[in-house]
Amino acid sequence: MPNEALIVIDVQNDFCEGGALAVPGANNVLPLVNRLIARHDHVVLTQDWHPASHASFAATWPEAEPFSTRAFPYGPQTLWPEHCVQGTPGAAFHPDLLTDKAQAVIRKGYHPGIDSYSAFRENDRMTRTGLDGYLKARGITRLVLCGLALDYCVAWSAIDARQAGFEVAVVQEATAAIDLEGSKKRMLTEMRQAGIRLNATA
Ligand code: VGL
Ligand code: ZN
């Protein structure tokens, strides 16, 4: 479909088996993600891309534990194990991911003090990545999302995509979730309420 783009969220080593913030089941979704890439004419990849000592890393703050919550100027922020540091092997795409077809790579989370789950808007909910303008300039109206993690970067991207006016489907089988304190169930509900189609397959 000429007006449809596939957005592959954060299929990077640190979110896969053995990575610093490994998402359970991440490696199992690679074959389906690759099949989706093969089927789409427009493919965009996103890459979580943090500077060292990023504010979202627990290690950046004295005595902070990974997966705890800290008050940031823009609101509560989960603190994560150090992951996807710019230029490190953990930040690279998984070697099995078929990246050649990608026409754009959106990097996010590079501002030292702001995390970015969404590929469209950072966690301050104000700083924009420009992805919506890129897609609209190319006549894209429908988005299919897959990748990691379902309940963080995929969900936030999907919800922002709806707000930007796109028709949005998430291929849930081609995602894996972190599921921190019920986040999977909560974000699935939020996505449904936002009018996002959650397909078993695409
Ligand atoms: C992600 C937590 C921190 C994700 C990125 O890709 O879902 N989650 N950074
Ligand atoms: Zn991150």
Side-chain angles (χ1 to χ4, degrees):
M1 250 179 277
N3 62 339
E4 181 175 287
L6 176 73
I7 316 286
V8 181
I9 304 287
D10 299 0
V11 181
Q12 295 165 262
N13 288 322
D14 269 344
F15 296 122
C16 294
E17 223 166 83
L21 180 44
V23 181
N27 290 52
N28 299 338
V29 307
L30 277 162
L32 181 52
V33 169
N34 281 335
R35 280 204 295 281
L36 291 170
I37 290 173
R39 274 191 226 152
H40 279 85
D41 296 330
H42 301 285
V43 178
V44 175
L45 307 179
T46 72
Q47 206 169 16
D48 211 38
W49 197 248
H50 300 304
S53 304
H54 189 254
S56 76
F57 298 163
T60 300
W61 305 97
E63 289 169 44
E65 292 293 330
F67 306 107
S68 64
T69 304
R70 187 180 175 91
F72 273 32
Y74 54 75
Q77 166 70 46
T78 302
L79 299 183
W80 302 102
E82 200 173 85
H83 65 278
C84 296
V85 174
Q86 295 171 3
T88 63
F93 291 116
H94 188 282
D96 294 345
L97 183 71
L98 299 176
T99 59
D100 287 356
K101 249 180 107 173
Q103 296 157 348
V105 176
I106 290 285
R107 288 174 167 167
K108 59 186 181 57
Y110 47 76
H111 291 120
I114 316 173
D115 204 3
S116 190
Y117 299 150
S118 164
F120 294 91
R121 251 189 320 160
E122 303 195 6
N123 287 15
D124 63 0
R125 311 316 285 141
M126 287 170 55
T127 308
R128 294 162 49 135
T129 65
L131 178 58
D132 61 335
Y134 168 83
L135 294 169
K136 285 174 184 170
R138 305 194 64 197
I140 304 291
T141 57
R142 293 163 49 92
L143 301 181
V144 175
L145 276 77
C146 64
L148 309 170
L150 171 67
D151 43 350
Y152 286 91
C153 292
V154 174
W156 286 52
S157 297
I159 289 165
D160 279 354
R162 282 292 297 151
Q163 279 183 12
F166 295 97
E167 213 182 303
V168 183
V170 170
V171 184
Q172 200 180 333
E173 271 194 355
T175 70
I178 295 174
D179 206 8
L180 185 63
E181 291 164 358
S183 55
K184 180 177 176 183
K185 188 163 180 269
R186 187 171 66 247
M187 295 315 289
L188 284 171
T189 303
E190 283 199 26
M191 284 193 276
R192 277 194 204 96
Q193 285 171 351
I196 293 157
R197 276 189 303 130
L198 293 161
N199 297 337
T201 51

mmCIF file of all heavy atoms in Angstrom, residues 103-127:
data_model
loop_
_atom_site.group_PDB
_atom_site.id
_atom_site.type_symbol
_atom_site.label_atom_id
_atom_site.label_comp_id
_atom_site.label_asym_id
_atom_site.label_seq_id
_atom_site.Cartn_x
_atom_site.Cartn_y
_atom_site.Cartn_z
ATOM 1 N N GLN A 103 14.177 3.375 5.005
ATOM 2 C CA GLN A 103 14.413 4.640 4.303
ATOM 3 C C GLN A 103 14.755 5.756 5.279
ATOM 4 O O GLN A 103 15.271 6.791 4.882
ATOM 5 C CB GLN A 103 13.161 4.993 3.495
ATOM 6 C CG GLN A 103 12.909 3.947 2.411
ATOM 7 C CD GLN A 103 11.470 3.897 1.964
ATOM 8 O OE1 GLN A 103 10.591 4.479 2.588
ATOM 9 N NE2 GLN A 103 11.226 3.186 0.883
ATOM 10 N N ALA A 104 14.443 5.556 6.543
ATOM 11 C CA ALA A 104 14.786 6.554 7.552
ATOM 12 C C ALA A 104 15.030 5.844 8.876
ATOM 13 O O ALA A 104 14.407 4.825 9.169
ATOM 14 C CB ALA A 104 13.658 7.577 7.712
ATOM 15 N N VAL A 105 15.954 6.379 9.637
ATOM 16 C CA VAL A 105 16.196 5.905 11.000
ATOM 17 C C VAL A 105 16.004 7.104 11.910
ATOM 18 O O VAL A 105 16.661 8.130 11.742
ATOM 19 C CB VAL A 105 17.615 5.336 11.165
ATOM 20 C CG1 VAL A 105 17.856 4.935 12.618
ATOM 21 C CG2 VAL A 105 17.838 4.140 10.242
ATOM 22 N N ILE A 106 15.054 6.976 12.829
ATOM 23 C CA ILE A 106 14.798 8.055 13.792
ATOM 24 C C ILE A 106 15.471 7.683 15.101
ATOM 25 O O ILE A 106 15.185 6.640 15.682
ATOM 26 C CB ILE A 106 13.281 8.239 14.021
ATOM 27 C CG1 ILE A 106 12.608 8.828 12.783
ATOM 28 C CG2 ILE A 106 13.003 9.112 15.241
ATOM 29 C CD1 ILE A 106 12.873 10.311 12.587
ATOM 30 N N ARG A 107 16.391 8.528 15.528
ATOM 31 C CA ARG A 107 17.021 8.311 16.831
ATOM 32 C C ARG A 107 16.338 9.193 17.861
ATOM 33 O O ARG A 107 15.915 10.304 17.556
ATOM 34 C CB ARG A 107 18.514 8.631 16.735
ATOM 35 C CG ARG A 107 19.248 7.562 15.943
ATOM 36 C CD ARG A 107 20.672 7.926 15.715
ATOM 37 N NE ARG A 107 21.436 6.798 15.236
ATOM 38 C CZ ARG A 107 22.652 6.889 14.728
ATOM 39 N NH1 ARG A 107 23.253 8.062 14.644
ATOM 40 N NH2 ARG A 107 23.284 5.809 14.318
ATOM 41 N N LYS A 108 16.225 8.659 19.068
ATOM 42 C CA LYS A 108 15.484 9.367 20.111
ATOM 43 C C LYS A 108 16.116 9.127 21.469
ATOM 44 O O LYS A 108 16.802 8.125 21.664
ATOM 45 C CB LYS A 108 14.023 8.913 20.120
ATOM 46 C CG LYS A 108 13.897 7.425 20.357
ATOM 47 C CD LYS A 108 12.478 6.961 20.232
ATOM 48 C CE LYS A 108 12.335 5.495 20.484
ATOM 49 N NZ LYS A 108 12.821 5.020 21.776
ATOM 50 N N GLY A 109 15.889 10.065 22.384
ATOM 51 C CA GLY A 109 16.457 9.943 23.726
ATOM 52 C C GLY A 109 17.862 10.505 23.831
ATOM 53 O O GLY A 109 18.585 10.196 24.769
ATOM 54 N N TYR A 110 18.232 11.362 22.878
ATOM 55 C CA TYR A 110 19.608 11.882 22.870
ATOM 56 C C TYR A 110 19.774 13.165 23.665
ATOM 57 O O TYR A 110 20.896 13.606 23.893
ATOM 58 C CB TYR A 110 20.133 12.070 21.433
ATOM 59 C CG TYR A 110 19.177 12.777 20.507
ATOM 60 C CD1 TYR A 110 18.986 14.145 20.584
ATOM 61 C CD2 TYR A 110 18.450 12.057 19.571
ATOM 62 C CE1 TYR A 110 18.089 14.787 19.752
ATOM 63 C CE2 TYR A 110 17.552 12.687 18.726
ATOM 64 C CZ TYR A 110 17.380 14.055 18.820
ATOM 65 O OH TYR A 110 16.484 14.671 17.995
ATOM 66 N N HIS A 111 18.664 13.795 24.102
ATOM 67 C CA HIS A 111 18.817 14.945 25.005
ATOM 68 C C HIS A 111 19.152 14.413 26.393
ATOM 69 O O HIS A 111 18.414 13.570 26.924
ATOM 70 C CB HIS A 111 17.542 15.787 25.043
ATOM 71 C CG HIS A 111 17.269 16.510 23.762
ATOM 72 N ND1 HIS A 111 16.126 16.319 23.014
ATOM 73 C CD2 HIS A 111 18.030 17.384 23.068
ATOM 74 C CE1 HIS A 111 16.194 17.069 21.922
ATOM 75 N NE2 HIS A 111 17.333 17.724 21.934
ATOM 76 N N PRO A 112 20.243 14.911 27.020
ATOM 77 C CA PRO A 112 20.708 14.311 28.272
ATOM 78 C C PRO A 112 19.660 14.277 29.383
ATOM 79 O O PRO A 112 19.643 13.346 30.179
ATOM 80 C CB PRO A 112 21.888 15.213 28.681
ATOM 81 C CG PRO A 112 22.337 15.874 27.421
ATOM 82 C CD PRO A 112 21.145 15.985 26.535
ATOM 83 N N GLY A 113 18.745 15.241 29.412
ATOM 84 C CA GLY A 113 17.809 15.319 30.520
ATOM 85 C C GLY A 113 16.404 14.845 30.204
ATOM 86 O O GLY A 113 15.520 14.913 31.063
ATOM 87 N N ILE A 114 16.145 14.392 28.979
ATOM 88 C CA ILE A 114 14.779 14.011 28.589
ATOM 89 C C ILE A 114 14.779 12.601 28.013
ATOM 90 O O ILE A 114 15.541 12.319 27.086
ATOM 91 C CB ILE A 114 14.198 14.960 27.506
ATOM 92 C CG1 ILE A 114 14.477 16.433 27.815
ATOM 93 C CG2 ILE A 114 12.700 14.719 27.335
ATOM 94 C CD1 ILE A 114 14.071 17.378 26.682
ATOM 95 N N ASP A 115 13.918 11.719 28.535
ATOM 96 C CA ASP A 115 13.777 10.398 27.922
ATOM 97 C C ASP A 115 12.790 10.519 26.763
ATOM 98 O O ASP A 115 12.038 11.499 26.659
ATOM 99 C CB ASP A 115 13.284 9.384 28.962
ATOM 100 C CG ASP A 115 13.672 7.953 28.573
ATOM 101 O OD1 ASP A 115 14.353 7.777 27.546
ATOM 102 O OD2 ASP A 115 13.294 7.023 29.309
ATOM 103 N N SER A 116 12.794 9.546 25.891
ATOM 104 C CA SER A 116 11.843 9.562 24.780
ATOM 105 C C SER A 116 11.390 8.154 24.466
ATOM 106 O O SER A 116 12.117 7.387 23.854
ATOM 107 C CB SER A 116 12.466 10.210 23.544
ATOM 108 O OG SER A 116 11.461 10.419 22.567
ATOM 109 N N TYR A 117 10.191 7.795 24.894
ATOM 110 C CA TYR A 117 9.622 6.503 24.531
ATOM 111 C C TYR A 117 9.029 6.593 23.119
ATOM 112 O O TYR A 117 9.175 5.692 22.318
ATOM 113 C CB TYR A 117 8.519 6.092 25.507
ATOM 114 C CG TYR A 117 8.961 5.917 26.955
ATOM 115 C CD1 TYR A 117 8.081 6.169 28.000
ATOM 116 C CD2 TYR A 117 10.242 5.480 27.260
ATOM 117 C CE1 TYR A 117 8.462 5.985 29.320
ATOM 118 C CE2 TYR A 117 10.629 5.303 28.585
ATOM 119 C CZ TYR A 117 9.738 5.562 29.609
ATOM 120 O OH TYR A 117 10.105 5.383 30.909
ATOM 121 N N SER A 118 8.350 7.686 22.864
ATOM 122 C CA SER A 118 7.662 7.849 21.587
ATOM 123 C C SER A 118 8.634 8.261 20.488
ATOM 124 O O SER A 118 9.564 9.022 20.722
ATOM 125 C CB SER A 118 6.581 8.923 21.744
ATOM 126 O OG SER A 118 6.140 9.377 20.490
ATOM 127 N N ALA A 119 8.380 7.768 19.289
ATOM 128 C CA ALA A 119 9.174 8.168 18.129
ATOM 129 C C ALA A 119 8.762 9.541 17.614
ATOM 130 O O ALA A 119 9.398 10.085 16.710
ATOM 131 C CB ALA A 119 9.011 7.138 17.016
ATOM 132 N N PHE A 120 7.680 10.096 18.174
ATOM 133 C CA PHE A 120 7.164 11.376 17.696
ATOM 134 C C PHE A 120 7.451 12.528 18.659
ATOM 135 O O PHE A 120 7.723 13.642 18.231
ATOM 136 C CB PHE A 120 5.643 11.285 17.491
ATOM 137 C CG PHE A 120 5.250 10.356 16.385
ATOM 138 C CD1 PHE A 120 4.996 9.010 16.640
ATOM 139 C CD2 PHE A 120 5.149 10.817 15.076
ATOM 140 C CE1 PHE A 120 4.636 8.151 15.608
ATOM 141 C CE2 PHE A 120 4.795 9.961 14.035
ATOM 142 C CZ PHE A 120 4.545 8.622 14.303
ATOM 143 N N ARG A 121 7.347 12.248 19.967
ATOM 144 C CA ARG A 121 7.437 13.306 20.984
ATOM 145 C C ARG A 121 8.156 12.778 22.195
ATOM 146 O O ARG A 121 7.879 11.678 22.658
ATOM 147 C CB ARG A 121 6.024 13.711 21.417
ATOM 148 C CG ARG A 121 5.622 15.079 20.940
ATOM 149 C CD ARG A 121 4.344 15.542 21.554
ATOM 150 N NE ARG A 121 3.318 14.523 21.688
ATOM 151 C CZ ARG A 121 2.291 14.628 22.530
ATOM 152 N NH1 ARG A 121 2.174 15.685 23.309
ATOM 153 N NH2 ARG A 121 1.388 13.670 22.606
ATOM 154 N N GLU A 122 9.093 13.547 22.734
ATOM 155 C CA GLU A 122 9.866 13.074 23.876
ATOM 156 C C GLU A 122 9.001 13.101 25.148
ATOM 157 O O GLU A 122 7.878 13.587 25.132
ATOM 158 C CB GLU A 122 11.139 13.924 23.994
ATOM 159 C CG GLU A 122 11.921 13.854 22.682
ATOM 160 C CD GLU A 122 13.348 14.344 22.739
ATOM 161 O OE1 GLU A 122 13.866 14.668 23.815
ATOM 162 O OE2 GLU A 122 13.956 14.394 21.660
ATOM 163 N N ASN A 123 9.554 12.562 26.245
ATOM 164 C CA ASN A 123 8.743 12.381 27.451
ATOM 165 C C ASN A 123 8.321 13.691 28.114
ATOM 166 O O ASN A 123 7.439 13.681 28.967
ATOM 167 C CB ASN A 123 9.463 11.489 28.467
ATOM 168 C CG ASN A 123 9.486 10.032 28.044
ATOM 169 O OD1 ASN A 123 9.209 9.722 26.878
ATOM 170 N ND2 ASN A 123 9.807 9.134 28.961
ATOM 171 N N ASP A 124 8.929 14.818 27.735
ATOM 172 C CA ASP A 124 8.405 16.101 28.216
ATOM 173 C C ASP A 124 7.099 16.446 27.499
ATOM 174 O O ASP A 124 6.434 17.403 27.861
ATOM 175 C CB ASP A 124 9.437 17.234 28.049
ATOM 176 C CG ASP A 124 9.803 17.497 26.590
ATOM 177 O OD1 ASP A 124 9.275 16.811 25.684
ATOM 178 O OD2 ASP A 124 10.633 18.392 26.347
ATOM 179 N N ARG A 125 6.739 15.614 26.493
ATOM 180 C CA ARG A 125 5.526 15.740 25.676
ATOM 181 C C ARG A 125 5.525 17.026 24.851
ATOM 182 O O ARG A 125 4.480 17.454 24.370
ATOM 183 C CB ARG A 125 4.237 15.675 26.533
ATOM 184 C CG ARG A 125 4.159 14.542 27.521
ATOM 185 C CD ARG A 125 4.596 13.184 27.003
ATOM 186 N NE ARG A 125 3.664 12.520 26.126
ATOM 187 C CZ ARG A 125 4.024 11.815 25.034
ATOM 188 N NH1 ARG A 125 5.290 11.733 24.684
ATOM 189 N NH2 ARG A 125 3.145 11.229 24.298
ATOM 190 N N MET A 126 6.670 17.686 24.708
ATOM 191 C CA MET A 126 6.743 18.936 23.950
ATOM 192 C C MET A 126 7.777 18.875 22.838
ATOM 193 O O MET A 126 7.554 19.391 21.748
ATOM 194 C CB MET A 126 7.105 20.094 24.889
ATOM 195 C CG MET A 126 5.949 20.485 25.790
ATOM 196 S SD MET A 126 6.435 21.627 27.076
ATOM 197 C CE MET A 126 7.156 22.933 26.101
ATOM 198 N N THR A 127 8.926 18.263 23.113
ATOM 199 C CA THR A 127 10.000 18.217 22.125
ATOM 200 C C THR A 127 9.656 17.200 21.049
ATOM 201 O O THR A 127 9.428 16.028 21.350
ATOM 202 C CB THR A 127 11.332 17.844 22.811
ATOM 203 O OG1 THR A 127 11.528 18.725 23.917
ATOM 204 C CG2 THR A 127 12.498 17.966 21.850
#
